[in-house]
Amino acid sequence: MPTPVLRLVRFTGRLLLALAAVAALVVVLLALIALTDGAGSGLAAWLTTLGTGTVLALWRRRHRTWPARLVPFLPVVVAAALTATVCIPTVPTARRYPPALPFVSTQHWNLATGSRVAVYHYPPANPGPRQPVPFVYLHGGPVRGISVQDHRFLRLLARQGYDVYAYEQAGGGRSDLLSMDQYTISRSVRDLAAFVDRLDKGKVDILGFSGGGVVLTRALADPSVAARLHRAIIAEPGPMDGPTAHITGHKGRASARGLAPAPTGPRSTHVPRYAVAFGLMRLGLLTPDTGLIGQAEGDNAFTAADLGSDTASAYCARDAHRIPTEDTAQNFSFSPAASLRIQQTVKDSPSIALLLRQSRTPAMLMIAECSSQVRQWATAILANDPAIQRTQYMPGVGHHMWNGLDDNNDRAAAVITAFLQDKPAPLPNHPTPDEIPTFLRDHK
């Protein structure tokens, strides 16, 4: 007769085997989701996993007496219950657009490209002189809504006499979605040209920030689009093309990443379905057009907290414990799948350096002291665009240079308005193209 200790050892061994079987089935499910690209909302992988587990359980129950024959099925039942959550949506699968903003009306423009974009207009709000050239803002992301923090900055420019327009790029914010194969960096450039044509006010001044800076840079390399631009400001750009995207180099001075408190609020990645979908997409094991979750469902599910330390990386280390709220939960919008798709088209694109060297549009480059961007992403533009008239190295700020802290908004506005009005720069012209090697060595 087995002793209590022996019975405990046997029970523990069987429990560990059962847990190992459950873990193995979960791994099989994840592998099958990757292999099938999440076909049928993951049901194809789930049913195949369940069938495989059942066949193995039937084989293992041979030579067992009743009721021991049921034991091999226990891990299958447990794994089926756990993994079924990967196949069940917990948010609407039709796109939920953010509600209207209380401080600006949302217009929707149909562009000649077929995109339908949300447009915001801040007319000059000061009694003084008005600037004659319309001002257009290209936000970052890509495929993200314009944050409330950015809207505040645009209103500041309007109070200084600028006729300010901004639009949320296709798929972001209140703009309509595209089919996944239409999200390309080339489409974003064509949308910009179509927006300026739809505005129908002649040439425009344009500020492109982060991902918007990439769109603007590529527009400057396309003579047909650049002809629509009066002056261009490229702020904290991402990589402009495939060769630049594959550069690994210096970043700015220390950001708040790893120092700031973790973001609060719900996270889609706490739900197994979205943790699997977004995780495998980030790893490149699922395509942006995966059958596991649709584009609209993914947009609805993704929250500001899902950005994790990305938000903190846009601020200097000294600001780690006073990072402002950039957006409201109601206004926040980000399409992770479409964003990855556009970024991939940048990585796959050939060099635009030769085309950019033909640019004649007066331009300015803005670089943050605590930038989380690879420095060479900005200096590659500086080295290849002969029309860059000045570079403004912004001390005391991170990637999100106009952030509402201290006088950062006013300083950014002063730099922008001085260039647009062709007035002396508030800061030294640094770095110049000749100073790039020294800049990369010293500013890291």
Side-chain angles (χ1 to χ4, degrees), residues 100-105 120-122 147-149 151-152 155 331:
L101 291 165
F103 48 79
V104 64
S105 62
Y120 309 94
H121 180 210
Y122 293 101
S147 71
V148 170
Q149 194 73 260
H151 278 289
R152 293 192 185 110
R155 283 187 285 178
N331 185 63

Side-chain angles (χ1 to χ4, degrees), residues 66 72 77 109 123 132 171 174 215 251 269 272 277 297 315 343 379 383 398-399 415 441:
W66 185 267
V77 173
W109 289 7
R174 296 163 185 82
V215 176
K251 295 188 179 182
T269 48
E297 183 188 349
Y315 293 82
Q343 291 177 60
T379 58
H399 180 59
V415 164
R441 185 189 68 229

Side-chain angles (χ1 to χ4, degrees), residues 225-310:
V225 183
R228 298 165 167 87
L229 310 181
H230 178 251
R231 284 183 172 247
I233 301 166
I234 305 167
E236 282 287 285
M240 65 182 185
D241 54 24
T244 312
H246 290 93
I247 291 175
T248 56
H250 306 303
K251 295 188 179 182
R253 298 211 166 100
S255 76
R257 181 187 288 270
L259 301 174
T264 58
R267 296 191 182 201
S268 68
T269 48
H270 289 168
V271 179
R273 178 173 176 80
Y274 307 113
V276 169
F278 297 144
L280 293 181
M281 270 193 269
R282 288 289 298 268
L283 294 172
L285 298 176
L286 285 180
T287 67
D289 203 16
T290 175
L292 182 58
I293 60 170
Q295 178 189 172
E297 183 188 349
D299 293 4
N300 294 338
F302 203 88
T303 69
D306 286 321
L307 292 174
S309 58
D310 284 357

Side-chain angles (χ1 to χ4, degrees), residues 24 46 94 112 141 151 165 169 172 235 253 259 276 284 330 343 345 352 396 414:
W46 184 79
H151 278 289
Y165 290 85
Q169 295 159 42
R253 298 211 166 100
L259 301 174
V276 169
Q330 294 75 26
Q343 291 177 60
T345 65
I352 64 168

Side-chain angles (χ1 to χ4, degrees), residues 53 61 104 117 129 162 165 171 178 181 190 247 305 316 329 363 367 402 424 428:
R61 78 172 194 163
V104 64
V117 297
Y162 288 89
Y165 290 85
L178 300 175
D181 62 345
R190 293 197 302 273
I247 291 175
C316 290
I367 306 175
W402 42 89

Side-chain angles (χ1 to χ4, degrees), residues 27-256:
V27 170
V28 168
L29 174 75
L30 295 177
L32 288 172
I33 285 175
L35 288 172
T36 62
D37 199 25
S41 195
L43 282 171
W46 184 79
L47 291 172
T48 303
T49 302
L50 184 59
T52 301
T54 301
V55 169
L56 291 174
L58 287 169
W59 181 82
R60 287 185 58 209
R61 78 172 194 163
R62 295 177 309 151
H63 312 304
R64 295 194 182 200
T65 59
W66 185 267
R69 287 187 173 191
L70 298 177
V71 173
F73 291 97
L74 182 60
V76 180
V77 173
V78 173
L82 290 174
T83 56
T85 57
V86 176
C87 307
I88 302 172
T90 60
V91 299
T93 56
R95 182 70 175 107
R96 288 185 312 185
Y97 293 94
L101 291 165
F103 48 79
V104 64
S105 62
T106 305
Q107 305 173 50
H108 283 92
W109 289 7
N110 293 313
L111 305 182
T113 56
S115 297
R116 186 171 185 267
V117 297
V119 180
Y120 309 94
H121 180 210
Y122 293 101
N126 70 334
R130 299 189 173 189
Q131 303 304 320
V133 181
F135 179 95
V136 174
Y137 176 60
L138 271 180
H139 63 86
V143 199
R144 184 173 176 175
I146 299 175
S147 71
V148 170
Q149 194 73 260
D150 282 359
H151 278 289
R152 293 192 185 110
F153 184 64
L154 298 179
R155 283 187 285 178
L156 172 61
L157 294 175
R159 289 196 296 272
Q160 298 186 11
Y162 288 89
D163 192 18
V164 178
Y165 290 85
Y167 69 95
E168 289 172 317
Q169 295 159 42
R174 296 163 185 82
S175 294
D176 285 6
L177 307 182
L178 300 175
S179 62
M180 194 58 66
D181 62 345
Q182 293 186 55
Y183 289 110
T184 67
I185 190 62
S186 298
R187 173 61 173 265
S188 299
V189 174
R190 293 197 302 273
D191 278 352
L192 169 60
F195 177 82
V196 178
D197 290 345
R198 174 69 173 74
L199 184 59
D200 195 25
K201 292 193 174 185
K203 289 188 175 184
V204 300
D205 291 330
I206 186 163
L207 165 62
F209 167 65
S210 191
V214 177
V215 176
L216 178 53
T217 300
R218 295 181 71 95
L220 294 173
D222 184 332
S224 66
V225 183
R228 298 165 167 87
L229 310 181
H230 178 251
R231 284 183 172 247
I233 301 166
I234 305 167
E236 282 287 285
M240 65 182 185
D241 54 24
T244 312
H246 290 93
I247 291 175
T248 56
H250 306 303
K251 295 188 179 182
R253 298 211 166 100
S255 76

Side-chain angles (χ1 to χ4, degrees), residues 207 231-237 363-371 375 378-379 382 388-399 401-402 410-420 423-433 435 439 443:
L207 165 62
R231 284 183 172 247
I233 301 166
I234 305 167
E236 282 287 285
M364 178 177 73
L365 183 64
M366 297 176 71
I367 306 175
E369 177 185 4
C370 310
S371 176
R375 289 295 197 200
T379 58
L382 178 60
I388 291 181
Q389 297 180 347
R390 63 179 75 166
T391 304
Q392 301 285 267
Y393 176 75
M394 305 292 292
V397 293
H399 180 59
M401 292 181 283
W402 42 89
D410 290 330
R411 290 196 296 130
V415 164
I416 290 168
T417 57
F419 172 70
L420 295 180
K423 293 181 178 179
L427 298 170
N429 180 25
H430 171 74
T432 64
E435 294 172 338
F439 176 75
H443 292 275

